[in-house]
Amino acid sequence: METNVTIKKLSNRFPGAIIETHSHRGDDTAVVKKESILEICTFLRDDEALLYNFMMDLTVVDYLGREPRFEVVYHLFSLRHNRRVRIKARVSEADAIIDSIVPVWVGANWFEREAFDMYGITFKGHPEMRRILLYEGFEGHPLRKDYPIKKRQPLIGPIN
Amino acid sequence: MGVTFGKESASRRIVPGGTVSDGPERLLDGSAILTRLQAAVNWGRKYSFFLYPFVTACCGMEFMSVAGPKYDLDRFGAALPRFSPRQADLLMVVGTISHKQAPILVKVYNQMTEPKWVFAFGVCAVSGGFYNNYSVVQGIDTLIPVDVYVPGCPPRPEMVLDGLLKLQEKVAKERWSDWPRGAAPVTPMLKKQE
Amino acid sequence: MSDLMKDLHTEHMVINMGPSHPVTHGTVKFLVTLDGENIVDMKVDIGYLHRGFEKMCESGTWQQVIPYTDRLNYVSPLINNVGYALAVEKLIGIEVPERCQYLRVIACELSRIADHLTNVAAGGLELGAFTAFLYFVEARELVWDLIEMLCGARVTVNFVRIGGLKNDLPQGFQDKTRAVFKECRRLWNDVDKLLTKNRIFIDRVRNVGDISAEEAIAYGFTGPCLRACGIPYDVRKAQPYLVYDRMDFEVPIGETGDNFDKYLVRMEEIQQSMKIVEQALSQLPDGPINLDLPQYRMQPKEDIYHRIDSLIFHFKTVIDGIKPPPGEVYFAVEGANGELGFYLVSDGSGKPYKCRVRPPCFPLTAAMPRLMKGRLIADIVPTFDMINMIGGECDR
Ligand code: SF4
């Protein structure tokens, strides 16, 4: 099947690093071990049959109560083959570190900073790991499921 | 007959010993006006707002329309946006103010010279709107005094013009003792770690 | 001369542009290190309009997300609406009726026209071409009249529903569109004459902010900014959604990716979008605009008032929200600034577990330092404008 090319190639090349795959609603997805994320991304970008030259999106999903708790989700797109793939890597709360993919796609820089800001995942090897949308001094990571939606941390407020 | 005046001034006559009203008074068959300085100054102020557009979000789109050809804020004497707070006297807060933005808003407000007015444009500036969450200030009146609230998400240009007229009415009634208002009554809450 | 330059050692100066600065028409802060007028280094600080979009989405039902999507890219809200609705429909596995698809195409393209008009208008304004601003704001006002006719609101439209639309085409829309487009084309021609061959304008934008195609791809550029580099990537053509595959339109591309090319691409896209709207209107089929699936799309109001089953479904979908099956999808549409993707995760409940939007102008803004290093400080103005950063979308 044409649509499964990526997943097939990935599982042939990295048999030990693919945890599971699915193609729900036609979106090819591979869950990979977080240790090999950099290697896999480089492969996906450079392999002639894949050529995923766009890092479209990077985000994190917080599955509170599940272990490992976080899933870092990458959406890649190949202009040449007009194909998309979703790569996911699971990261636990205690060890919320994953390799940065900035060496592969420079565009990932801000996306990773945002993921750090919102979910507190640290990207190892990132050139500038600090908050991007919120401000220094903000405590906690608002998009985690256990952050109360109305917990405010104003920089400035009324005298009382 | 001399100079003719608008309806308001022509309709009032000085009655010796009578009460003095706030509006312009006519003397000597219209060749001189007697009025209170305060009323004259307010009249001047209300038709010459210099606004500082503190545009942050979607309401800015409507702000562009209001300033643009069809609705034309110019007709009400509030045409020229000044991008220096020192030269402006009407602070238009257009859009959502997040907590990250709040210190900047207060700084701009404090830099403006008195007298100054604040126009809350859109429901986000009025009350935070439907963003009741960790990052949005729940109404700019928690930070700085506000003169006119124009709700709507975003308000239609007609509402904005109406708000401006309301502000003009308010300015016309002001007294010397209303000024100065002083700095915004706020204090830093979170120590910024540099 | 070179000796003189060596002796004249100047110190670098750091200045702060923004977050409330006339050219930063979103709220963004540039920390520029200058050597004379040349930019040595630049840091971009965003987040001044972070409004907690995702957190708000996670706290409401699936339908309640739609008003929030309006306020992402508030210059082209209809595209956001459509993108989100399509993503949810993909998650559920349904497809809306044909007429609805056509109407969505019309809505999207009207929004795209308004967006590009605004962008060029603001760009002209910031470079001193005030007339172009006035002309295009007038044109946008006309397009907004159409949008208002269609959905009842000017900016924050809230028009698209999951599985359908709020309402059908109003009467007289076709005629009005014809009149509006005629006027728009006239204004377009005027602005074209005012800007495209204008020495001052060209000097400010030509060869400024250029980037090679490979680099643009690595940075994650999409939309007009990528097409200006010569890559004809348009989601509408690459992965046609709705009925874009039945439309006859061209994807304009540039060569160098500089600001002038971005401007030309946008100008041409206005024309193409008008063409699409006209085609869609002429091909428009009859039929329903809503799906007949009461657990996902509300039944017509008359039914809700007169039939008990419709009332029950209405009650359920309003109180609990619709319940897409568990799973995750990513769906991309061509937003006004580039690929607008929605990544949704459902856990089977009435609320989105995760509602992520891929903001097209986020990677564009991230590339500002790359575009500006070694340039003059005055070049920030046109470059930042042609990036078209929209605060609501970039900061969410
Ligand atoms: S009031 Fe509405 S339109 Fe205005 S800034 Fe807030 S959300 Fe945007």
Side-chain angles (χ1 to χ4, degrees):
Chain A
M1 267 260 291
E2 224 277 309
T3 47
N4 279 327
V5 173
T6 315
I7 293 183
K8 273 211 201 96
K9 279 209 88 137
L10 264 185
S11 2
N12 287 343
R13 177 73 201 269
F14 303 96
I18 310 291
I19 299 172
E20 62 182 71
T21 62
H22 71 73
S23 295
H24 182 66
R25 304 271 181 238
D27 290 2
D28 292 345
T29 308
V31 185
V32 305
K33 287 216 177 100
K34 74 166 189 180
E35 289 77 22
S36 31
I37 188 76
L38 202 55
E39 221 181 318
I40 289 179
C41 285
T42 317
F43 171 73
L44 286 170
R45 185 192 62 177
D46 293 337
D47 190 273
E48 267 304 310
L50 303 174
L51 285 179
Y52 283 98
N53 44 2
F54 277 92
M55 206 291 305
M56 275 299 178
D57 192 19
L58 187 160
T59 187
V60 181
V61 190
D62 174 8
Y63 293 101
L64 185 63
R66 213 193 265 182
E67 191 52 45
R69 175 171 169 188
F70 299 106
E71 236 171 36
V72 185
V73 187
Y74 304 83
H75 285 99
L76 311 179
F77 172 65
S78 156
L79 188 65
R80 169 85 64 82
H81 302 289
N82 197 10
R83 213 182 277 145
R84 292 176 190 278
V85 72
R86 179 186 304 131
I87 304 291
K88 305 204 282 182
R90 298 200 172 127
V91 175
S92 70
E93 192 180 357
D95 181 30
I97 298 184
I98 188 167
D99 282 331
S100 164
I101 56 159
V102 175
V104 191
W105 294 284
V106 269
N109 186 326
W110 275 23
F111 286 99
E112 290 185 348
R113 274 177 70 187
E114 191 195 340
F116 167 73
D117 193 356
M118 294 289 135
Y119 289 94
I121 308 266
T122 312
F123 291 84
K124 202 166 74 203
H126 187 282
E128 190 188 11
M129 195 83 274
R130 60 186 179 88
R131 287 190 181 275
I132 183 166
L133 295 181
L134 293 165
Y135 31 88
E136 298 300 325
F138 192 94
E139 272 170 32
H141 301 280
L143 285 187
R144 289 193 174 189
K145 290 276 175 191
D146 50 7
Y147 189 94
I149 184 166
K150 287 182 192 158
K151 186 175 163 202
R152 298 195 168 87
Q153 306 185 25
L155 282 170
I156 196 167
I159 300 169
N160 43 26
Chain B
M1 238 334 253
V3 198
T4 40
F5 288 90
K7 209 162 124 234
E8 192 194 24
S9 50
S11 64
R12 292 214 190 89
R13 295 195 160 270
I14 294 262
V15 185
T19 48
V20 184
S21 75
D22 256 357
E25 325 291 353
R26 217 168 76 147
L27 266 189
L28 303 177
D29 204 16
S31 58
I33 283 184
L34 272 191
T35 181
R36 294 186 15 224
L37 182 59
Q38 187 176 286
V41 169
N42 283 346
W43 177 85
R45 280 178 178 167
K46 77 177 195 181
Y47 290 124
S48 62
F49 289 126
F50 284 84
L51 44 100
Y52 181 98
F54 196 87
V55 177
T56 63
C58 1
C59 277
M61 293 299 110
E62 281 294 22
F63 180 75
M64 267 169 91
S65 290
V66 180
K70 191 163 164 191
Y71 294 95
D72 201 3
L73 217 49
D74 211 351
R75 295 176 291 161
F76 304 91
L80 221 53
R82 309 307 301 172
F83 285 102
S84 164
R86 305 267 183 227
Q87 300 170 348
D89 57 7
L90 175 59
L91 178 61
M92 282 256 190
V93 184
V94 183
T96 322
I97 302 298
S98 67
H99 283 304
K100 192 169 177 176
Q101 185 94 23
I104 297 140
L105 174 68
V106 169
K107 193 173 221 164
V108 167
Y109 176 79
N110 286 344
Q111 282 178 346
M112 287 169 65
T113 47
E114 311 250 1
K116 54 191 171 189
W117 299 275
V118 178
F119 192 108
F121 189 120
V123 75
C124 279
V126 171
S127 70
F130 72 167
Y131 291 103
N132 185 0
N133 63 22
Y134 60 91
S135 72
V136 175
V137 175
Q138 299 299 295
I140 56 166
D141 51 4
T142 58
L143 302 168
I144 56 177
V146 177
D147 293 279
V148 189
Y149 297 86
V150 177
C153 185
R156 291 192 58 99
E158 292 87 347
M159 292 170 69
V160 180
L161 297 181
D162 191 39
L164 192 76
L165 295 179
K166 288 262 167 19
L167 181 64
Q168 291 183 345
E169 272 169 37
K170 181 174 174 183
V171 169
K173 288 196 204 107
E174 266 167 4
R175 301 173 169 279
W176 298 125
S177 54
D178 292 343
W179 303 103
R181 273 179 183 170
V186 286
T187 157
M189 308 274 278
L190 206 66
K191 261 266 143 295
K192 220 177 165 186
Q193 307 153 358
E194 285 297 335
Chain C
M1 188 65 196
S2 59
D3 287 351
L4 184 69
M5 289 309 275
K6 230 183 282 166
D7 291 345
L8 263 180
H9 56 92
T10 49
E11 276 176 18
H12 287 175
M13 181 171 70
V14 178
I15 63 163
N16 202 356
M17 286 178 86
S20 186
H21 187 277
V23 310
T24 63
H25 42 110
T27 43
V28 59
K29 187 169 94 181
F30 300 127
L31 209 62
V32 213
T33 312
L34 292 174
D35 176 14
E37 263 195 275
N38 293 312
I39 300 170
V40 182
D41 194 12
M42 180 178 192
K43 281 210 165 68
V44 186
D45 193 7
I46 59 163
Y48 291 94
L49 193 54
H50 179 61
R51 303 189 272 200
F53 168 76
E54 283 183 40
K55 200 81 176 168
M56 294 314 288
C57 293
E58 286 167 20
S59 70
T61 62
W62 288 94
Q63 300 104 311
Q64 282 171 345
V65 172
I66 291 176
Y68 289 107
T69 64
D70 274 344
R71 288 147 182 87
L72 286 172
N73 184 344
Y74 35 75
V75 198
S76 53
L78 281 160
I79 305 183
N80 308 342
N81 278 187
V82 171
Y84 173 74
L86 285 171
V88 179
E89 282 154 15
K90 180 175 173 188
L91 184 63
I92 302 172
I94 49 179
E95 196 168 287
V96 289
E98 205 178 16
R99 184 176 173 84
C100 172
Q101 301 201 7
Y102 273 96
L103 291 181
R104 284 182 179 184
V105 166
I106 293 169
C108 277
E109 294 312 313
L110 286 178
S111 246
R112 195 181 317 278
I113 296 170
D115 180 283
H116 290 350
L117 288 173
T118 314
N119 178 257
V120 175
L125 174 71
E126 276 150 21
L127 296 178
F130 195 59
T131 324
F133 170 79
L134 291 180
Y135 284 7
F136 264 3
V137 168
E138 195 185 332
R140 183 185 75 168
E141 207 64 49
L142 293 168
V143 177
W144 275 6
D145 281 349
L146 276 182
I147 294 180
E148 186 181 3
M149 196 175 172
L150 184 64
C151 22
R154 290 156 54 86
V155 184
T156 46
V157 288
N158 194 10
F159 175 57
V160 179
R161 299 287 185 271
I162 296 161
L165 293 169
K166 177 180 147 277
N167 57 270
D168 206 335
L169 220 52
Q171 254 182 355
F173 188 82
Q174 256 106 331
D175 298 335
K176 174 115 190 201
T177 312
R178 225 166 286 135
V180 163
F181 280 4
K182 190 160 164 247
E183 191 62 18
C184 274
R185 289 204 167 101
R186 192 179 63 74
L187 289 163
W188 188 94
N189 280 331
D190 286 349
V191 172
D192 189 45
K193 280 184 209 139
L194 278 171
L195 292 182
T196 311
K197 288 191 184 133
N198 181 334
R199 192 74 257 158
I200 304 168
F201 183 74
I202 293 177
D203 284 350
R204 289 294 300 275
V205 292
R206 200 73 181 126
N207 296 327
V208 174
D210 48 344
I211 188 167
S212 72
E214 291 75 45
E215 244 184 308
I217 290 175
Y219 270 102
F221 276 36
T222 44
C225 293
L226 179 69
R227 291 194 282 273
C229 306
I231 308 265
Y233 172 59
D234 186 320
V235 187
R236 291 174 294 174
K237 286 275 191 205
Q239 295 122 32
Y241 51 97
L242 296 173
V243 287
Y244 276 113
D245 47 352
R246 295 182 214 168
M247 301 290 153
D248 172 28
F249 67 102
E250 310 268 333
V251 178
I253 57 170
E255 276 169 15
T256 57
D258 64 2
N259 293 334
F260 193 55
D261 281 2
K262 288 175 197 158
Y263 156 79
L264 288 179
V265 166
R266 287 214 168 85
M267 285 296 268
E268 186 53 37
E269 279 185 16
I270 297 175
Q271 294 284 5
Q272 296 297 334
S273 294
M274 288 200 249
K275 233 171 89 185
I276 299 178
V277 173
E278 281 162 351
Q279 285 175 46
L281 278 175
S282 64
Q283 295 176 13
L284 192 65
D286 285 333
I289 55 162
N290 288 316
L291 274 178
D292 193 18
L293 275 178
Q295 66 272 42
Y296 292 124
R297 176 77 186 107
M298 264 178 214
Q299 299 279 287
K301 271 280 176 314
E302 306 85 68
D303 283 358
I304 292 169
Y305 290 136
H306 295 291
R307 288 176 47 187
I308 185 67
D309 49 342
S310 295
L311 182 67
I312 291 170
F313 274 123
H314 178 88
F315 190 74
K316 289 286 280 178
T317 49
V318 169
I319 302 289
D320 295 345
I322 62 171
K323 295 199 170 118
E328 52 182 348
V329 288
Y330 177 84
F331 192 84
V333 296
E334 180 70 22
N337 272 337
E339 171 167 326
L340 179 81
F342 282 91
Y343 172 59
L344 307 174
V345 179
S346 162
D347 59 352
S349 74
K351 291 178 178 180
Y353 192 77
K354 163 99 184 161
C355 175
R356 154 87 184 171
V357 51
R358 184 231 182 234
C361 62
F362 190 73
L364 293 172
T365 316
M368 268 304 274
R370 152 69 189 81
L371 295 175
M372 281 335 321
K373 258 182 215 163
R375 292 290 179 165
L376 296 180
I377 187 164
D379 292 342
I380 293 182
V381 181
T383 311
F384 187 64
D385 186 81
M386 285 300 150
I387 288 284
N388 198 14
M389 178 242 193
I390 305 287
E393 179 182 82
C394 191
D395 303 347
R396 279 150 289 137

